[in-house]
Amino acid sequence: ESNLDGKYTFDNFIEGDCNSLARNAAKAVADNPSNTAFNPLVIHGPVGLGKTHLLKAVGNRITEKYPNKSVLYVTTDTFTSQLVSSIGNNSTNDLVNWYQNVDVLLVDDIQQLINRKKTQDVFFNLFNVLRQNQKAIVMTCDRPIIELDIEERLRSRFQWGLTADLSAPALETRMAILASKASANQVDMSPQVMEFICYHIQNNIRQLEGVLNNLVLHRGVNNNKEIDLELARQVLKNFVTEINKEITPEVIQRTVAEYYNLDVEKLASATRRRHVVLARQISMFLVKQFTDQSLKGIGRLFGGRDHATVIYSIKTVKDLMETNDDIRKDLEDLERRIRAGHG
Ligand code: ADP
Ligand code: MG
């Protein structure tokens, strides 16, 4: 039996800061499933960020590398249905036996255990048997285990191995993913078009694929004309509520915060930590450059700072641009990104 869609591999899973721990842990399990240091491995994160992809990649790699090991992928919903029907025809023992004999168990979406007392009981016993026999267990969940509302004895066991999270990828990673999917589909897109798309689709890779599929469709309808910004804009309208027409201070703050990997709220906060202060000063400089906000208005946007602070910040950034190559490069990148968001 294999429901391990072979198209999900480690090779076509693009690595970024957002997923490197999870990817490496999954790879470690796949390369050596009998090493129980990571048992169980739990990968958690919001929808559309690659949990199922990684889980199936583990299965595919083990199947390839260890043809004698039996690997079983199952979603928690499927497991529950199997259990329910086995209860209906008195074959629960067979089902449990079958699961106890796998070498590697991959369970997707364990948040579906919530409110399923019987499934939790059966899974508890299965988990214990597999782990005792040093069989690898890898699971995914849409939230951290600590927030998973299931029996305590199960929750604590899920924390015995390694937990790794997937978070939203940075712009560069999104672009690398889109580039890789585009080339796999023989789609040509300029970097400018890709940046425009990835700027707008931030939190869900499945949506990024949706945009790509739609572009391919539209291109077909339009006599294979090139995928340009206009077509991208047309398609994006179905995915995001707002494609920014105007460069607003919010757009700038969001772009700078993402670039420096900060929560956007930090820019308006009282924090004086050095890298936050710099990001704040750069944001003020860019708001001045791209919008018609007054100095006073800018101060207000950044947590009610006074207008002297704004002047000082802008001057600091101007000076840095003359003396510091890294900062100048950052500003060039940022300006390009801010414009890219607006096609
Ligand atoms: P989840 O299970 O977390 O909801 P999926 O694993 O189904 O998400 O991923 C959604 C889609 O995004 C899949 O088609 C997957 O191949 C793709 N994807 C997610 N992350 C990456 C990545 N880092 N590299 C390549 N494709 C990715
Ligand atoms: Mg999934």
Side-chain angles (χ1 to χ4, degrees), residues 3 39 86 89 109 119 142 144 184 225 272-273 278 288 299:
N3 34 16
N39 209 17
S86 81
N89 54 32
D109 292 318
T119 311
D142 72 356
K225 103 178 207 311
R272 307 190 62 148
R273 289 175 56 194
L278 180 64
K288 181 72 196 147

Side-chain angles (χ1 to χ4, degrees), residues 31-51:
D31 283 335
N32 189 357
S34 336
N35 173 354
T36 50
F38 294 164
N39 209 17
L41 169 63
V42 181
I43 297 169
H44 69 88
V47 66
L49 293 184
K51 299 183 296 295

Side-chain angles (χ1 to χ4, degrees), residues 29-145:
V29 172
D31 283 335
N32 189 357
S34 336
N35 173 354
T36 50
F38 294 164
N39 209 17
L41 169 63
V42 181
I43 297 169
H44 69 88
V47 66
L49 293 184
K51 299 183 296 295
T52 299
H53 186 134
L54 275 181
L55 193 63
K56 290 188 168 175
V58 170
N60 284 321
R61 193 175 183 91
I62 295 178
T63 308
E64 186 186 296
K65 209 170 158 181
Y66 302 94
N68 295 327
K69 286 205 188 284
S70 60
V71 178
L72 186 59
Y73 165 91
V74 71
T75 67
T76 305
D77 267 347
T78 303
F79 182 74
T80 303
S81 330
Q82 290 171 344
L83 180 63
V84 169
S85 51
S86 81
I87 294 169
N89 54 32
N90 291 319
S91 61
T92 304
N93 281 344
D94 294 345
L95 181 76
V96 169
N97 262 324
W98 187 58
Y99 270 97
Q100 284 179 352
N101 280 306
V102 302
D103 295 311
V104 180
L105 182 61
L106 309 171
V107 189
D108 213 351
D109 292 318
I110 56 170
Q111 72 278 0
Q112 293 161 349
L113 287 169
I114 296 171
N115 289 329
R116 289 174 173 167
K117 172 93 177 67
K118 179 69 184 169
T119 311
Q120 288 183 36
D121 284 347
V122 173
F123 194 70
F124 176 76
N125 291 316
L126 173 62
F127 183 96
N128 289 337
V129 170
L130 289 175
R131 203 166 176 285
Q132 249 155 40
N133 295 328
Q134 312 202 327
K135 308 298 189 186
I137 305 165
V138 185
M139 300 178 282
T140 73
C141 190
D142 72 356
R143 64 202 78 181
I145 294 303

Side-chain angles (χ1 to χ4, degrees), residues 55-289:
L55 193 63
K56 290 188 168 175
V58 170
N60 284 321
R61 193 175 183 91
I62 295 178
T63 308
E64 186 186 296
K65 209 170 158 181
Y66 302 94
N68 295 327
K69 286 205 188 284
S70 60
V71 178
L72 186 59
Y73 165 91
V74 71
T75 67
T76 305
D77 267 347
T78 303
F79 182 74
T80 303
S81 330
Q82 290 171 344
L83 180 63
V84 169
S85 51
S86 81
I87 294 169
N89 54 32
N90 291 319
S91 61
T92 304
N93 281 344
D94 294 345
L95 181 76
V96 169
N97 262 324
W98 187 58
Y99 270 97
Q100 284 179 352
N101 280 306
V102 302
D103 295 311
V104 180
L105 182 61
L106 309 171
V107 189
D108 213 351
D109 292 318
I110 56 170
Q111 72 278 0
Q112 293 161 349
L113 287 169
I114 296 171
N115 289 329
R116 289 174 173 167
K117 172 93 177 67
K118 179 69 184 169
T119 311
Q120 288 183 36
D121 284 347
V122 173
F123 194 70
F124 176 76
N125 291 316
L126 173 62
F127 183 96
N128 289 337
V129 170
L130 289 175
R131 203 166 176 285
Q132 249 155 40
N133 295 328
Q134 312 202 327
K135 308 298 189 186
I137 305 165
V138 185
M139 300 178 282
T140 73
C141 190
D142 72 356
R143 64 202 78 181
I145 294 303
I146 189 159
E147 291 168 20
L148 186 61
D149 187 14
I150 55 172
E151 281 176 60
E152 180 51 34
R153 57 180 190 164
L154 204 48
R155 186 170 45 227
S156 69
R157 274 167 179 70
F158 288 174
Q159 293 170 307
W160 280 353
L162 180 74
T163 321
D165 75 320
L166 293 173
S167 54
L171 181 71
E172 292 84 355
T173 311
R174 301 199 296 277
M175 286 179 68
I177 294 171
L178 182 60
S180 131
K181 308 255 176 204
S183 107
N185 289 286
Q186 272 118 33
V187 175
D188 265 334
M189 257 189 276
S190 71
Q192 199 196 2
V193 171
M194 286 204 276
E195 189 160 1
F196 179 67
I197 294 168
C198 293
Y199 177 91
H200 286 97
I201 306 284
Q202 304 196 317
N203 300 315
N204 189 330
I205 304 303
R206 193 170 300 136
Q207 272 189 3
L208 210 52
E209 291 177 336
V211 171
L212 181 64
N213 292 338
N214 273 273
L215 283 171
V216 172
L217 227 71
H218 278 71
R219 185 185 58 171
V221 173
N222 290 315
N223 301 320
N224 292 326
K225 103 178 207 311
E226 185 201 355
I227 294 177
D228 58 9
L229 279 173
E230 193 39 54
L231 185 54
R233 190 178 295 115
Q234 214 177 305
V235 165
L236 271 172
K237 276 193 198 134
N238 300 317
F239 288 84
V240 286
T241 46
E242 194 180 334
I243 299 178
N244 298 304
K245 291 248 177 337
E246 194 190 349
I247 297 176
T248 61
E250 291 69 36
V251 167
I252 292 167
Q253 289 176 325
R254 195 164 63 118
T255 308
V256 174
E258 188 181 8
Y259 189 78
Y260 290 113
N261 220 343
L262 299 170
D263 289 333
V264 70
E265 297 79 37
K266 286 261 160 57
L267 296 176
S269 74
T271 306
R272 307 190 62 148
R273 289 175 56 194
R274 206 142 134 208
H275 69 291
V276 178
V277 171
L278 180 64
R280 186 183 295 132
Q281 290 173 332
I282 287 177
S283 305
M284 290 183 182
F285 173 86
L286 290 167
V287 171
K288 181 72 196 147
Q289 178 176 331

